[in-house]
Amino acid sequence: MSRDFKYTENEKLNFRLNNLPSNPGVYMYFDKKGNIIYIGKAKVLKNRIRSYFLNVGKHQQFKTEVLVRKIHNLEYIITDNELEALVLEANLIKKHKPKYNIDLKDDKSYPYLAVTKELYPRLYITRSINKENTKYYGPYTNVKAMRELLSSLKKIAGIRNCDLNLTENSIKSGNYKLCLDYHIKICSGPCKGLDDPELYRKRVKEVISFLTGNDKELMNSLKKKMIEASDQLNFELAALCRDQIKTLENYLEKQKVESADQTATDYVAVACEDNDACCVVFKVRNGRMIARNHYFLDGVYQKNISEILEEFVSLYYQKTSDYPELLLSSTEVEEPETIVEWLSKLKGKKVYLKTPQIGEKNRMIFLAVKNAEQLLNDMKLEKLKKDYTPRSILSLKRDLNLEKAPEIIECFDISHFAGRQTVASMVCFKNAKPFKAGYRKFNIKTVEGIDDFASMEEVVRRRYVKLETEESLHTPDLVIIDGGKGQLSRAKKVFDELKLDIPVIGLAKRLEEVFFPGDSEPVMLPRTSSSLKLIQQLRDEAHRFAITFHRSKREKAQIHSILDEINGIGEKKRETLIKEFGSIEIIKNLTVEELTKIKGINESLATIILEKLKK
């Protein structure tokens, strides 16, 4: 290849691309702001990196053109071999979390078993795996079942529940007291040195073996303990051991799968659609399923199944200490030798990687794939549900010929009684549902008498004049004016003055008629259209809200005017009555005794009030 080959318009980047090494290593892509946007590994850096830029427009198996267009610079780190590149890539991804790398979205969904490296180790369930001097096993599928089983096992083995920092010096100092667990015989009392550290750690190891699929150690230990207790005529202890063995046998029976193979095996399957992927892991130990985990992946970006699976394996086994002897995958990975070498190094013994084609193992892989496909489908349906736009919104967009679906709609209505106590209401719908926090009511301040046009202009201006100054106010996608062309033209006048580009329509008396600004003829919406039903809902809700507000205002005015005509009722007593009872109807149905409970109202005044109101 020519040294002056032009890959991009970026000369600095071209120079780097023309001078790449042929070694294995890790490469990093940067955007214009200097942010790392992708990290990858390669057997031959030169070939892998150049393939991005030579195949622009043909990215069927690797990255999309979106990534390539954002690459402004690159750096690379040479390693001795592919294994070092794999480990370094994993560490760098974990540190920088690049935008275009695959990410386990729910890597904290499942609990891990944590075992501390202490004189008397502690066992506990956690979702965080970042503590030093702690070994982690898992993840496990059911946190509730896991906690219950661990609690039972700790009682059986006498493992401590406390988080005391037990060292030889702290135990000798005698600072700790035996707790209730010791007295009820579910702890061996290590805080007082009452248990041999080696025997204690041996029991911890048996519990861990049981939880990770090797149940023989703990079961054999309990059976031996039961026989010894029976020989010594300690029937109470023997019965306790018998019950503990029965409890564990019942648990094991539930966990059995139809497999005579005792090899520690992980079945890993992946399902992928568009930019979403789901990976499922079946963990089988000594013929029993100890976990069924699934993970959704971000950043798939048209990678092929082999790449996704390889990157998932790398991410997954960084987070656990429970490595299989045999890893069975639904598809072959791109660089199996590297994965095998890496896992073998982590486990400390040979790990095998295979893709079964026939038999029982293939059946298990088939089940794992089906699980992954179903889970991915469920996730996409859930995502679709969250992002779902109601049909009525889409119908309204179509019928009104709007540029975007009107997710936020506001509707105005005017209400008055013969020109008195004029009020206005504004209701807000989000995704075709009432959004009560967005409701507003207005007292008309600048209009005298009956003038719905001027009243509509006032409230529209008061509502939208604040849009530019108050960022907390949302901008609607559609405004509906309950009224004909007159009210609509006044509202449009306000929008023009405020330079607001918001679609606005008016509703005539007959609801099927929808007016657009500047059009003399209305649009007739189909009676069966869901858009018409949505407009009906908005109009009815705005009308209800306006009438309720107007009725409340008129009722208070009535109370004021009638009570003002009664001798002996001043401003203070009038306000007290309004605050206490709220309406004329309630007050006039009271008894004299009930009214006299109000401070300042005697029996004579109460009688006068009731007589006046009942007329």
Side-chain angles (χ1 to χ4, degrees):
M1 183 176 289
S2 173
R3 295 280 294 176
D4 58 355
F5 189 88
K6 189 174 182 180
Y7 295 90
T8 73
E9 297 300 322
N10 185 333
E11 293 302 325
K12 182 180 178 181
L13 186 57
N14 285 333
F15 179 80
R16 302 299 299 273
L17 291 169
N18 280 308
N19 292 277
L20 292 168
S22 300
N23 308 71
V26 173
Y27 55 92
M28 296 171 284
Y29 291 147
F30 296 80
D31 61 15
K32 287 184 178 181
K33 295 180 180 179
N35 300 317
I36 299 175
I37 57 175
Y38 185 76
I39 297 173
K41 69 178 186 308
K43 184 186 295 185
V44 180
L45 283 168
K46 177 173 65 176
N47 296 344
R48 174 57 65 88
I49 295 173
R50 288 178 179 175
S51 68
Y52 285 80
F53 300 91
L54 290 172
N55 295 319
V56 174
K58 304 175 184 178
H59 291 285
Q60 299 175 351
Q61 296 185 347
F62 204 68
K63 304 299 291 181
T64 62
E65 291 183 53
V66 176
L67 169 62
V68 176
R69 287 170 185 159
K70 291 187 177 182
I71 298 172
H72 187 70
N73 195 11
L74 70 88
E75 291 182 6
Y76 54 83
I77 302 171
I78 295 173
T79 59
D80 286 337
N81 50 57
E82 295 170 63
L83 178 59
E84 285 187 12
L86 175 68
V87 175
L88 179 58
E89 178 200 33
N91 291 333
L92 289 173
I93 290 174
K94 186 176 181 181
K95 179 181 178 181
H96 296 288
K97 295 180 172 56
K99 180 179 179 180
Y100 290 97
N101 279 92
I102 286 179
D103 180 38
L104 267 65
K105 290 194 290 187
D106 51 350
D107 56 341
K108 291 186 179 178
S109 294
Y110 304 110
Y112 291 80
L113 170 66
V115 184
T116 60
K117 296 177 182 178
E118 300 177 80
L119 182 65
Y120 293 98
R122 292 183 297 120
L123 280 73
Y124 61 93
I125 302 297
T126 182
R127 296 181 189 273
S128 175
I129 55 173
N130 54 6
K131 291 184 179 180
E132 296 181 1
N133 298 320
T134 304
K135 195 170 184 179
Y136 297 92
Y137 297 88
Y140 296 92
T141 309
N142 190 327
V143 63
K144 182 180 179 182
M146 183 63 180
R147 289 188 189 281
E148 291 175 355
L149 178 61
L150 180 60
S151 177
S152 298
L153 291 172
K154 287 168 76 173
K155 290 175 183 177
I156 290 170
I159 307 301
R160 66 189 179 108
N161 282 313
C162 65
D163 57 0
L164 299 176
N165 183 22
L166 299 185
T167 64
E168 291 184 0
N169 291 334
S170 65
I171 294 171
K172 288 178 181 178
S173 66
N175 293 330
Y176 306 126
K177 294 182 180 180
L178 292 170
C179 65
L180 180 62
D181 284 359
Y182 173 78
H183 295 293
I184 61 176
K185 299 180 180 179
I186 61 173
C187 177
S188 61
C191 58
K192 285 290 187 181
L194 302 180
D195 197 353
D196 180 80
E198 287 189 15
L199 293 176
Y200 181 95
R201 286 194 290 270
K202 181 175 180 292
R203 297 198 304 275
V204 168
K205 184 181 176 183
E206 291 172 352
V207 170
I208 295 170
S209 294
F210 187 93
L211 290 171
T212 54
N214 184 7
D215 50 81
K216 292 181 180 179
E217 287 187 44
L218 183 57
M219 295 292 280
N220 290 340
S221 178
L222 286 173
K223 288 175 182 177
K224 181 180 178 182
K225 186 176 178 181
M226 179 180 69
I227 293 170
E228 290 176 353
S230 179
D231 291 342
Q232 297 170 8
L233 304 182
N234 188 347
F235 299 117
E236 183 180 354
L237 178 59
L240 177 62
C241 292
R242 178 202 62 201
D243 294 341
Q244 291 172 344
I245 292 169
K246 187 64 177 176
T247 298
L248 297 181
E249 285 177 343
N250 290 337
Y251 172 79
L252 292 173
E253 188 63 32
K254 294 177 183 178
Q255 297 296 311
K256 283 288 183 185
V257 295
E258 295 179 6
S259 176
D261 192 345
Q262 301 296 297
T263 305
T265 306
D266 283 357
Y267 296 84
V268 181
V270 61
C272 179
E273 184 178 341
D274 298 327
N275 288 330
D276 296 306
C278 177
C279 288
V280 166
V281 182
F282 289 170
K283 300 180 76 69
V284 178
R285 301 294 184 268
N286 291 311
R288 64 185 174 97
M289 187 88 73
I290 65 169
R292 306 172 181 87
N293 303 333
H294 71 271
Y295 298 86
F296 297 114
L297 306 179
D298 268 342
V300 173
Y301 296 106
Q302 297 187 18
K303 286 176 178 283
N304 61 35
I305 295 292
S306 296
E307 285 181 287
I308 294 169
L309 189 64
E310 182 177 318
E311 291 198 35
F312 170 74
V313 168
S314 174
L315 290 168
Y316 179 77
Y317 288 106
Q318 288 179 67
K319 299 176 179 293
T320 181
S321 300
D322 183 16
Y323 308 110
E325 298 172 21
L326 175 62
L327 177 61
L328 299 176
S329 62
S330 58
T331 187
E332 294 182 358
V333 300
E334 288 202 330
E335 299 175 4
E337 299 85 2
T338 306
I339 293 294
V340 166
E341 187 180 355
W342 176 60
L343 286 176
S344 300
K345 187 174 180 180
L346 290 174
K347 187 173 180 64
K349 61 183 291 188
K350 179 68 173 179
V351 173
Y352 295 90
L353 172 61
K354 297 180 181 178
T355 304
Q357 303 297 326
I358 58 173
E360 179 63 25
K361 291 181 173 60
N362 182 56
R363 188 184 74 85
M364 287 290 289
I365 280 291
F366 176 78
L367 289 176
V369 170
K370 287 298 177 185
N371 274 266
E373 291 173 347
Q374 184 62 48
L375 288 162
L376 180 61
N377 186 54
D378 292 346
M379 184 271 285
K380 291 179 75 69
L381 288 174
E382 187 66 26
K383 185 188 289 187
L384 188 65
K385 185 178 178 181
K386 289 180 180 178
D387 299 335
Y388 174 68
T389 302
R391 181 177 295 178
S392 57
I393 294 288
L394 298 175
S395 178
L396 198 58
K397 176 180 180 292
R398 177 199 65 210
D399 293 343
L400 300 183
N401 197 26
L402 302 175
E403 290 185 5
K404 63 173 290 189
E407 295 180 2
I408 301 177
I409 306 174
E410 293 181 351
C411 181
F412 291 84
D413 187 28
I414 303 293
S415 180
H416 58 76
F417 180 72
R420 292 176 293 175
Q421 288 95 39
T422 304
V423 298
S425 70
M426 187 206 80
V427 298
C428 178
F429 276 32
K430 277 190 174 183
N431 287 318
K433 299 293 182 183
F435 177 60
K436 296 295 181 70
Y439 283 26
R440 298 291 183 270
K441 51 190 178 183
F442 304 86
N443 286 306
I444 301 302
K445 299 177 179 179
T446 63
V447 181
E448 296 291 339
I450 302 175
D451 192 342
D452 288 357
F453 300 163
S455 298
M456 185 63 73
E457 181 179 341
E458 177 188 326
V459 297
V460 170
R461 178 173 280 106
R462 286 166 58 186
R463 163 68 180 96
Y464 297 114
V465 75
K466 298 178 181 179
L467 278 181
E468 293 184 0
T469 56
E470 296 187 25
E471 295 182 0
S472 60
L473 291 177
H474 58 262
T475 301
D477 301 311
L478 175 66
V479 173
I480 298 176
I481 304 299
D482 186 16
K485 290 185 286 185
Q487 288 94 328
L488 175 61
S489 63
R490 290 295 189 96
K492 185 63 169 66
K493 173 188 171 185
V494 174
F495 282 7
D496 291 342
E497 290 176 3
L498 298 176
K499 297 181 180 179
L500 296 175
D501 187 20
I502 302 174
V504 56
I505 61 171
L507 300 181
K509 289 184 179 180
R510 288 189 296 171
L511 195 61
E512 295 78 13
E513 295 183 347
V514 175
F515 284 92
F516 288 89
D519 292 347
S520 58
E521 296 298 321
V523 174
M524 307 296 290
L525 296 181
R527 291 181 179 272
T528 57
S529 171
S530 59
S531 61
L532 178 60
K533 293 179 182 178
L534 178 58
I535 290 177
Q536 285 175 329
Q537 280 184 281
L538 277 150
R539 200 282 300 266
D540 291 346
E541 180 67 359
H543 190 62
R544 179 200 66 78
F545 194 47
I547 289 294
T548 302
F549 180 39
H550 181 265
R551 186 176 294 141
S552 171
K553 186 176 179 181
R554 191 175 66 204
E555 190 69 35
K556 289 180 180 179
Q558 278 185 321
I559 295 173
H560 274 272
S561 61
I562 295 174
L563 294 177
D564 284 343
E565 297 174 4
I566 301 174
N567 292 330
I569 298 293
E571 184 178 347
K572 190 172 182 180
K573 289 179 182 177
R574 182 190 65 199
E575 295 294 339
T576 302
L577 286 169
I578 292 171
K579 184 177 179 181
E580 186 70 25
F581 301 111
S583 74
I584 293 292
E585 287 298 318
I586 294 174
I587 295 174
K588 76 178 184 180
N589 289 315
L590 297 174
T591 63
V592 171
E593 290 76 15
E594 289 173 323
L595 264 180
T596 55
K597 292 179 181 178
I598 302 299
K599 185 178 180 181
I601 297 181
N602 56 30
E603 187 175 334
S604 174
L605 181 56
T607 302
I608 293 171
I609 292 171
L610 293 176
E611 288 176 353
K612 180 71 174 176
L613 294 183
K614 286 177 182 179
K615 288 181 181 180

